[in-house]
């Protein structure tokens, strides 16, 4: 039976007898996709190519959920380890002597064995999530190939064979070249799925072997210097054995989690292991504040801020453990002060396109979930515009964002953030697998000043810069940002109040000077040049960059559904 699949509806393929994809029907192993279910991956060599019907029925979401289930077991491990610690403490309080010492040592060893499982559980989640992402990309390319066939008046049968549509009155002489293009696109999608199938099998095999053998012993090599570059860190990490890397993740997570130049997967494992301790730090701080009864005005303000950080951390933890949407990778977390966090949606080391988003004033751990939602909306538009590309988006909030206007009117905090943003982008370049990804750095509001200052003073490993709702980026022309001006983009909503942020010296200037012929003759900037608080408006023509439109959604509405600015950001990330 031949089925025309121009609509991309899997139900049409099921009419050919394929059935519905579900956990347990799409798998990894020697037979390729469709051979086994989540949790039943088998070892073996590369098997036959993935079939057209197998890829069409494959369910990436099932694999994503299977990985999240493995990662979810880390909570159980932590609880059981905590129970062992409590029992060891109780044992020491009521028992002494050589036997008690031996029993305490055994309990400590058991607790160590138990906690050593956690990194492997997280790694299993990462492997399956990467597989799900690659399957989704392959399915996107498959759907594009089917759409091309439909537009060309061709048919694709249940085995993926391409032929002329007999329902047409007369075959076209163009059918041959069109069929060749469709066939090539189908082969590309199936090849991508097959490569993903083989890769995940090999990675799960390696992880299974490693867990069985363990990874005892500290690495013999030293640790990177505190001022090491991302490339130096990457070289150090590459020189370690897999067992040494896993040992470092388990025993020195604070070191591994903060190092730019360590692969994303390892940093995510390390930082997830620290989540419980970071939350405990916030709870301990809260307990100290509550020792004063009743709390004074200062304590009350601090308690309110602390509760906000706790709520933000809990919401972030829910996103990290959830199976909806792209997998989240925790690349940095510091609950001190207002809180700092770096989270990626999708794995930047595997993605073809990577966005780094830098938020602005008042951003902190308390509203990190909301800021992450903005990055997610750009990522969703990227997937909608080009499902055949694998993209990732990073929320980079590793700086002390201004909380009040008297802080936001100076560039000091933007300058302080520059070296860290520079090093982070260098790290993304250093750890990426395969051909370099297209890297885009986006700054909103004060975050645009952070991006502009970092690019101006240190340079950024980026292919494009994007500024939205900007008060100025610290330069007068796009060429000063060390990127080609055609890769510097900006958007400013017509009703964005940031457009009123005139430079200090202009606040007292006579309004008529803006339209004065004398001002033009003297070369003074008029309102048409639109000088802002931190320099020339990057959305002004005289800035020399590119501009994309925004609807009337105010200062925070660039990510609103239906705003052309959202599509604009996504298209820049994709390089369109």
């Amino acid at each position: 039976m031949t089925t025309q699949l121009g609509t991309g509806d899997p139900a049409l393929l099921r009419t050919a007898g394929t059935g519905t994809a579900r956990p347990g029907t799409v798998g990894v192993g020697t037979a390729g996709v469709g051979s086994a279910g989540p949790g039943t991956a088998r070892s073996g060599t590369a098997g036959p190519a993935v079939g057209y019907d197998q890829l069409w029925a494959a369910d990436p979401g099932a694999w994503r959920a299977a990985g999240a289930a493995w990662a979810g077991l880390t909570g159980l491990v932590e609880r059981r380890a905590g129970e062992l610690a409590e029992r060891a403490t109780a044992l020491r309080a009521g028992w002494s002597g050589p036997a008690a010492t031996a029993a305490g040592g055994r309990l400590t060893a058991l607790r160590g064995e138990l906690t050593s499982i956690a990194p492997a559980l997280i790694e299993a989640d990462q492997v399956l999530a990467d597989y799900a992402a690659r399957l989704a990309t392959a399915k996107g390319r498959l759907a594009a190939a089917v759409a091309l066939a439909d537009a060309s008046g061709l048919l694709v049968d249940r085995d993926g064979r391409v032929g002329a549509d007999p329902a047409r009155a007369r075959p076209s002489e163009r059918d041959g070249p069109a069929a060749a293009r469709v066939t090539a696109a189908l082969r590309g999608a199936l090849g991508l799925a097959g490569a993903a199938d083989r890769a995940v099998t090999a990675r799960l095999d390696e992880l299974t072997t490693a867990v069985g053998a363990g990874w005892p012993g500290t690495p013999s090599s030293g640790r990177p210097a505190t001022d090491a570059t991302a490339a130096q860190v990457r070289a150090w990490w590459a020189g370690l054995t897999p067992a040494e890397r896993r040992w470092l993740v388990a025993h020195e997570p604070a070191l591994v989690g903060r190092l730019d130049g360590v692969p994303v997967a390892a940093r995510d494992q390390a930082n997830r292991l620290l989540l419980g301790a970071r939350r405990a730090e916030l709870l301990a701080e809260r307990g100290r504040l509550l020792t004063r009864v009743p709390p004074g005005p200062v304590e009350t303000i601090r308690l309110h801020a602390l509760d906000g950080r706790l709520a933000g951390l809990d919401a972030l933890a829910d996103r990290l453990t959830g199976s909806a949407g792209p997998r989240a990778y925790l690349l940095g977390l510091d609950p001190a002060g207002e809180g700092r966090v770096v989270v990626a949606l999708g794995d930047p080391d595997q993605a073809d396109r990577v966005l780094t988003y830098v938020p602005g004033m008042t951003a902190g751990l308390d509203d990190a979930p909301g800021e992450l939602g903005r990055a997610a909306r750009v990522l969703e538009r990227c997937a909608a515009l080009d499902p055949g590309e694998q993209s990732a988006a990073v929320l980079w909030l590793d700086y002390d964002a201004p909380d009040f206007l008297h802080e936001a009117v100076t560039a000091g905090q933007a300058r302080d953030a520059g070296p860290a943003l520079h090093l982070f982008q260098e790290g993304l370049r250093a750890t990426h697998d395969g051909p370099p990804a297209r890297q885009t750095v986006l700054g909103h509001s004060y975050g645009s000043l952070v991006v502009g200052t970092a690019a101006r003073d240190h340079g950024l490993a980026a292919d494009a810069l994007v500024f939205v709702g900007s008060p100025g980026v610290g330069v007068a022309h796009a060429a000063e940002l060390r990127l080609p001006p055609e890769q510097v983009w900006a958007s400013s909503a017509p009703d964005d109040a940031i457009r009123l942020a005139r430079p200090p010296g202009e606040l007292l200037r006579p309004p008529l000077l803006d339209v004065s012929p004398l001002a033009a003759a003297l070369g003074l900037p008029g309102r048409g040049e639109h000088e802002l608080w931190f320099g020339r408006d990057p959305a002004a023509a005289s800035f020399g960059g590119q501009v994309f439109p925004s609807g009337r959604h105010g200062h925070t509405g660039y990510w609103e559904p239906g705003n052309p600015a959202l599509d604009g950001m996504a298209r820049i990330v994709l390089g369109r």
Side-chain angles (χ1 to χ4, degrees):
M1 174 179 177
T2 300
T3 307
Q4 189 167 8
L5 300 176
T7 62
D9 183 358
L12 294 178
L13 187 64
R14 288 200 292 271
T15 65
T18 305
T20 304
R22 61 186 184 281
T25 64
V26 182
V28 184
T30 57
V33 178
S35 64
T40 60
R42 304 192 304 272
S43 62
T45 58
V50 172
Y52 171 82
D53 59 339
Q54 291 174 313
L55 180 56
W56 194 271
D59 182 4
W63 287 103
R64 177 74 181 86
W70 280 106
L73 293 175
T74 58
L76 177 62
V77 168
E78 291 175 0
R79 289 194 297 274
R80 294 294 182 260
E83 291 169 2
L84 281 176
E86 292 172 0
R87 292 179 183 180
T89 301
L91 188 66
R92 286 193 297 270
W95 189 19
S96 61
T101 301
R106 181 54 181 153
L107 284 175
T108 300
L110 284 173
R111 183 171 182 271
E113 292 175 14
L114 189 59
T115 55
S116 69
I117 299 172
L121 296 173
I122 298 170
E123 188 171 347
D125 175 29
Q126 292 173 335
V127 172
L128 295 178
D130 179 52
Y131 182 55
R134 294 190 188 196
L135 273 184
T137 301
K139 286 175 67 69
R141 295 186 184 182
L142 187 72
V146 169
L148 176 61
D150 186 56
S152 304
L154 299 171
L155 292 179
V156 181
D157 69 13
R158 60 184 296 176
D159 296 317
R161 290 188 293 263
V162 181
D165 182 357
R168 290 191 310 179
R170 179 186 303 171
S172 170
E173 61 183 15
R174 293 174 298 184
D175 284 351
R181 289 193 298 272
V182 172
T183 299
L186 290 171
R187 286 176 177 168
L190 297 176
L192 182 62
D197 201 51
R198 294 187 292 273
V200 71
T201 301
R203 291 175 67 185
L204 289 176
D205 277 351
E206 191 272 336
L207 177 59
T208 301
T209 302
V211 170
W215 34 88
T218 179
S220 57
S221 61
R223 306 296 184 266
T226 55
D227 61 347
T229 65
Q232 290 170 333
V233 171
R234 184 71 183 98
W236 165 75
W237 187 262
L240 301 173
T241 67
E244 288 174 329
R245 295 172 194 158
R246 291 188 172 106
W247 188 95
L248 283 167
V249 168
H251 294 87
E252 299 183 25
L255 169 71
V256 175
R258 67 173 174 78
L259 283 177
D260 294 305
V262 168
V264 164
R267 292 182 67 176
D268 174 61
Q269 293 168 27
N271 284 308
R272 284 174 180 253
L273 294 178
L274 295 170
L275 262 178
R278 297 293 184 249
R279 192 174 192 280
E281 291 172 14
L282 291 178
L283 290 174
E285 183 180 349
R286 194 177 193 279
R288 289 190 295 270
L289 290 174
L290 290 174
T291 56
R292 178 172 177 177
V293 182
V298 174
E299 287 81 7
T300 299
I301 293 173
R302 291 177 62 189
L303 274 171
H304 179 74
L306 186 56
D307 287 343
R309 278 183 283 155
L310 274 167
L313 182 59
D314 288 343
L316 183 62
D318 289 342
R319 178 62 184 85
L320 289 169
T321 56
S323 61
R327 188 187 187 278
Y329 292 76
L330 184 60
L331 306 184
L333 176 64
D334 182 358
E338 298 299 320
R340 300 185 180 195
V341 64
V342 182
V343 185
L345 299 177
D347 186 350
D349 285 349
Q350 304 297 329
D352 306 302
R353 308 286 185 266
V354 180
L355 168 69
T356 300
Y357 164 52
V358 183
M361 181 178 169
T362 74
L365 184 56
D366 57 342
D367 61 351
E371 297 290 359
L372 189 61
R374 292 178 171 179
R377 284 193 282 276
V378 179
L379 196 58
E380 289 167 2
R381 288 304 301 150
C382 288
L385 291 168
D386 194 346
E389 291 286 344
Q390 194 171 337
S391 301
V394 183
L395 167 64
W396 189 87
L397 182 47
D398 195 16
Y399 82 106
D400 180 22
D403 292 315
F404 304 101
L405 282 175
H406 73 274
E407 297 174 324
V409 296
T410 70
Q413 283 159 279
R415 285 194 299 269
D416 292 344
L421 181 57
H422 163 79
L423 189 59
F424 178 75
Q425 287 298 122
E426 292 291 325
L428 290 182
R429 283 279 197 233
T431 61
H432 190 268
D433 289 336
R438 175 177 168 82
Q439 303 277 357
T440 301
V441 184
L442 162 68
H444 172 241
S445 193
Y446 193 88
S448 70
L449 179 64
V450 172
V451 174
T453 301
R456 179 196 68 197
D457 295 346
H458 308 282
L460 288 176
D463 300 288
L465 302 180
V466 184
F467 308 115
V468 294
S470 177
V473 298
V475 299
H477 196 277
E480 300 174 57
L481 297 172
R482 307 195 194 189
L483 258 69
E486 60 268 19
Q487 292 299 331
V488 177
W489 296 80
S491 184
S492 182
D495 58 344
D496 190 337
I498 204 74
R499 296 162 67 94
L500 302 177
R502 316 300 289 175
E506 198 173 317
L507 296 177
L508 300 178
R509 94 195 243 133
L512 289 179
L513 189 58
D514 287 322
V515 295
S516 168
L518 177 61
L522 295 176
L524 298 176
R527 185 167 295 276
E529 298 295 320
H530 211 164
E531 293 291 317
L532 297 175
W533 193 268
F534 293 112
R536 186 72 47 81
D537 182 355
S542 58
F543 186 76
Q546 307 294 312
V547 179
F548 60 100
S550 172
R552 301 182 66 87
H553 293 273
H555 186 58
T556 61
Y558 294 93
W559 295 267
E560 289 295 320
N563 190 344
L566 180 58
D567 261 22
M569 289 184 278
R571 291 181 184 279
I572 295 166
V573 171
L574 293 170
R576 291 190 167 191

